[in-house]
Structures are given as C-alpha cells and as structure tokens.
Amino acid sequence: MLALLAAVVSHDGLRASAAALASDLATRIGCERVSIGFVEDRFSRVVAVSHGAIEANQGEMLRVIGAAMDESIEQAATVVAPTPHDHVPQIVLAHEELLRRDGGMAITIPLAVAHQLVGAVLFQFRDIGPVPAAQVVEWEHALALLGPVLHSTLRSERPWRKRLKDRLRQIYADFRAPGRGHLRVGLAVALLCVVVLGFVPMDFRVGGNARVEGAVQRVLVAPADGFISQSHVRPGDGVKAGQVLAELAGQDLQLERTKWSSELAQHENAYAAAMARADRTQLVISQARAEEARAQLALVDEQLGRIRLEAPFDGLVIRGDLSQSLGAPVQRGDVLLTVAPKDRFRVIVEVDERDIAWISVAQRGSLALSALPWDALPLRVTRITPMASPMEGRNVFEVEAALDSQPDTLRPGLQGVARISVGEAPLLWVWTHRLTGWLRLKAWGLWGG
C-alpha cells in the first residue's frame, strides 16, 4: 500500500498519477492491462491505461472499457467476467463485449468516495484462471484507500464550473435521499418566504433622523451697541406677548439724547435770532442744523425705546441665557434670544439623497422621538428643500412636515426618527434596492452605458 500510494503522490496531475498507479498495479498483480476511469456527466471516462499513454486512435477501445466500468458502477459491485459458477449472477454485457475484443478475463472494481461511486478500475488478464475471492477483496481494500487520493486530484484539476455542477448535483442527490424529509420541508418554507418577500407588496417607508422646531422662530437682536443690563428669562421659560425679556444699559443713549437736545435748543435759539435780524443766510443754516439735531434726537429716542427686548408673541424661550452675561458688551445685530410658539411645531426630516426621489408633498408618516419612544406621532409632508446639505459624510435633503397631533410634552429641539410612507413594494426589493443601485452605479462608472 505504501508503494502504491507513493506511485500516486509522486506525480503532478491526475493523468500522470493514475498512469503510474495503473502500471504499478499491472506489474504487481501480473495482468495484461489496468485501466482507471472516473465518472463525468454520468458516464465513465478512462483517464489512464497501464504501460502507455492514451492515443487518439484508441477511441473504440476506450468506449468499450468505459462501458464495462459503467456496468460495475451501476451495479455498485465488483464485476468478474467470465462469471464464476459459484458467483452471484451479474449483468456482464459490456464485459462480454470487451472479452470478445481482447479475450482473457476482466475484473472491474468500483471506486467509492464518501458513499458515492466516482469511478472504477478494470483489470484485464490474458490467461483465464480462477482468481481467489480473498485476492479480489484485498484489491478492493487497496483501491478503497487509493481511490479518494486520485479523486481529490481530479477535483482539484476540474474547472470551477464543473466543480459547481458536481456540488449542485450532490446537493440534489442528498435532497432526494430517503430520510431527508426535513430538508425538503425547510426548502419549501424557504421558497415560500422568498415568494412572500419577493412578490407580496408591503408598505415602503423612507425616512431618517428628525428634529422638532417651532413653526415660527423669532430672533431678538441687540438694537444698538451697548451692555446687557438685566435678564428676566432663561431658556425653557414661557413668555407672554409684550413681556420684557431683557434690557440693555441706556446710560450712553441718555447722554447722547441730552447732547442732541442741547444742540437742538441752541439751533432753535440761533434760528429765532436770525429771524429777528432778518438774516436769511443764518436763518437757513440754523434751520438745517436744527432739523439735523431733531432727527438725531428722534433716532436716539427710537433706540431708547428698543433697549427693552419684548416677546413678540406667546411662546417659549428656546435659546439665549443672558443671566450669565450681565454687563457684557454687545454689538448691534448680535443675537440675544430666540422665541418659538408653544403650540405650533414643525418637523425637519433629514432624507438621504438616494431616497429623496420617493418623497412628495402630502405624503404621510410617523415620528418617534427619543424622549417619547412609546408614542409615534402622525405627520404630513408640507415642503421639500430643493438643495442638499452635506452632513456626516453624506448628502441629505431637509423635508419639512407638520404634526397632526401635538402632545403637551412636545418641546422644540427634541430629536428622533421619522418614517414617511411612499407606496408599496416587495420587502425583498426594499431591503436590496440600495445595494442594487450602488452596484449599478459602480458598473456604470467602470464600463459606462
């Protein structure tokens, strides 16, 4: 066995290994020819013959040998021809045709790998004589060990298409084998699931991260350069329309008002004196300067009236804690406070650019907030932003939606996830449409068209 195994593994490739084994077997056993074949497409194909290579003009001989191998494989037993008198009757039609051609005696032993017959070895003897049954059993044991080695070499050389075909055929055979009813039931269930997932339409939803904002947000800014004097509210406080929220220091404006009041009085006195003297030139100059002082005084009065920041409507302070900035300088136009209504909100949904084509106005959906995960709020799309914005490495469109119902616990700034119903589609398509779209885009980028 070690010598035969060495003859197999000392060569590269199936044909060389099988030819070495056939020649070694023929020499050791003393037979005229040893042929080795393997099943391919349900029929045996001779891959090696002892003491010589397979030539093109040997097609008829190889066909007869292959038929004899098929006869042994189909009966799953060693075939001896001529059949001994004490032997179990067998079908030996192909073997008899081989003997009519070459004469002598033939013994074919099938090769088995993992309980599957994969090939056969055919021994041809010139002299007809009894072969002890124990000798045949010894040959069967030897080939039972050597056959898997050759078959492994065969599988490694087969193209991947044929290996896949063999694997599928083996799976099919296992599937049909007795005692594999659970596999058939499992396959039926899997096919049913595929049918349900691939053909039964279900609700198709698109969405993304969402945040709650006030329907109207009013920003209160510094009316002039100055300093923060007082703060009466903090973020989260409810306010009424006209309520004073904060005040700026007005000392500088009061001084400026006093200055322009004084200048206005001077120009008015100069105007009166010019009129008494009938000095038309001085009259016009004093009148112009008085008008300028009067305009500056009105501007300062306007600014003094705006140092008290008042709430524009009933609502909630959502941004701006001035209590920590008392005495801090501010410039004209600086944002100090933001006020939003308490009972009117809008939802901003961040929809990925790959899904924005499915969104349209008036579609309905639901919102689940992190603070209220147990309560899905119904919403309706009211507006779609026409331009995408980059966010966390991807482009998103902001979709504005209105809530059908607004619980008392709703507050601006809450975040969650929104899902918008855009139609019906098979669940399998819903799960895979992004992947197929990505693959299609990559294929178009590589090959175009």
Side-chain angles (χ1 to χ4, degrees), residues 59-115:
E60 182 62 21
M61 179 193 72
L62 297 179
R63 184 194 66 80
V64 177
I65 294 175
M69 292 179 177
D70 289 336
E71 204 167 55
S72 174
I73 293 172
E74 290 173 359
Q75 297 179 80
T78 300
V79 176
V80 180
T83 304
H85 298 291
D86 58 346
H87 201 277
V88 176
Q90 293 177 312
I91 299 174
V92 292
L93 298 178
H95 285 76
E96 290 178 351
E97 182 182 356
L98 177 64
L99 296 181
R100 284 195 300 269
R101 178 185 179 89
D102 297 336
M105 178 182 179
I107 300 177
T108 305
I109 301 176
L111 299 177
V113 175
H115 306 288

Side-chain angles (χ1 to χ4, degrees), residues 133-366:
Q135 186 67 46
V136 176
V137 171
E138 183 179 347
W139 297 345
E140 291 175 344
H141 290 169
L143 294 177
L145 297 175
L146 296 172
V149 179
L150 286 176
H151 187 256
S152 176
T153 306
L154 169 66
R155 294 188 60 183
S156 64
E157 293 183 356
R158 290 170 65 86
W160 67 270
R161 296 180 183 86
K162 291 188 176 181
R163 293 201 300 269
L164 177 61
K165 184 178 179 181
D166 292 343
R167 182 57 181 168
L168 293 177
R169 185 181 291 117
Q170 179 61 38
I171 293 175
Y172 180 70
D174 292 342
F175 177 75
R176 296 189 59 185
R180 296 300 179 93
H182 61 285
L183 291 179
R184 292 187 283 272
V185 173
L187 181 60
V189 173
L191 290 176
L192 180 61
C193 292
V194 170
V195 170
V196 172
L197 295 178
F199 297 97
V200 178
M202 298 183 179
D203 189 21
F204 177 29
R205 294 190 168 193
V206 170
N209 296 330
R211 65 181 184 274
V212 178
E213 295 181 352
V216 179
Q217 293 188 5
R218 185 66 59 84
V219 175
L220 304 181
V221 300
D225 296 346
F227 299 88
I228 299 175
S229 175
Q230 297 183 37
S231 176
H232 304 294
V233 294
R234 299 181 65 183
D237 293 344
V239 296
K240 298 291 184 180
Q243 178 182 341
V244 177
L245 308 182
E247 298 181 29
L248 300 181
Q251 291 86 348
D252 293 343
L253 291 176
Q254 289 289 352
L255 291 176
E256 190 171 357
R257 188 181 190 286
T258 302
K259 167 190 169 184
W260 288 112
S261 296
S262 176
E263 288 191 9
L264 177 60
Q266 292 178 5
H267 295 316
E268 288 178 343
N269 292 335
Y271 177 81
M275 182 176 291
R277 296 193 306 270
D279 188 349
R280 295 176 61 86
T281 301
Q282 187 63 37
L283 180 67
V284 172
I285 294 174
S286 298
Q287 184 180 9
R289 290 178 177 176
E291 291 295 334
E292 179 186 4
R294 192 174 291 109
Q296 292 291 342
L297 184 61
L299 177 62
V300 172
D301 288 339
E302 177 68 19
Q303 291 177 344
L304 281 172
R306 295 170 57 190
I307 62 175
R308 294 161 58 92
L309 303 180
E310 299 178 354
F313 47 74
D314 295 350
L316 189 71
V317 178
I318 63 173
R319 191 177 296 112
D321 187 1
L322 301 181
S323 63
Q324 305 299 318
S325 304
L326 296 180
V330 294
Q331 295 182 348
R332 182 176 182 178
D334 288 349
V335 177
L336 302 181
L337 297 168
T338 303
V339 181
K342 281 184 177 181
D343 54 353
R344 290 183 295 150
F345 300 95
R346 67 176 182 176
V347 178
I348 302 299
V349 185
E350 299 170 359
V351 179
D352 193 277
E353 61 179 350
R354 295 172 293 181
D355 298 325
I356 193 61
W358 304 99
I359 304 296
S360 60
V361 176
Q363 289 176 337
R364 309 194 70 85
S366 57

Side-chain angles (χ1 to χ4, degrees), residues 422-444:
V422 299
E424 292 186 345
L427 194 57
L428 185 62
W429 180 89
V430 173
W431 290 346
T432 60
H433 76 281
R434 280 195 173 184
L435 176 61
T436 55
W438 180 83
L439 293 175
R440 186 182 306 161
L441 182 62
K442 289 299 181 182
W444 185 89

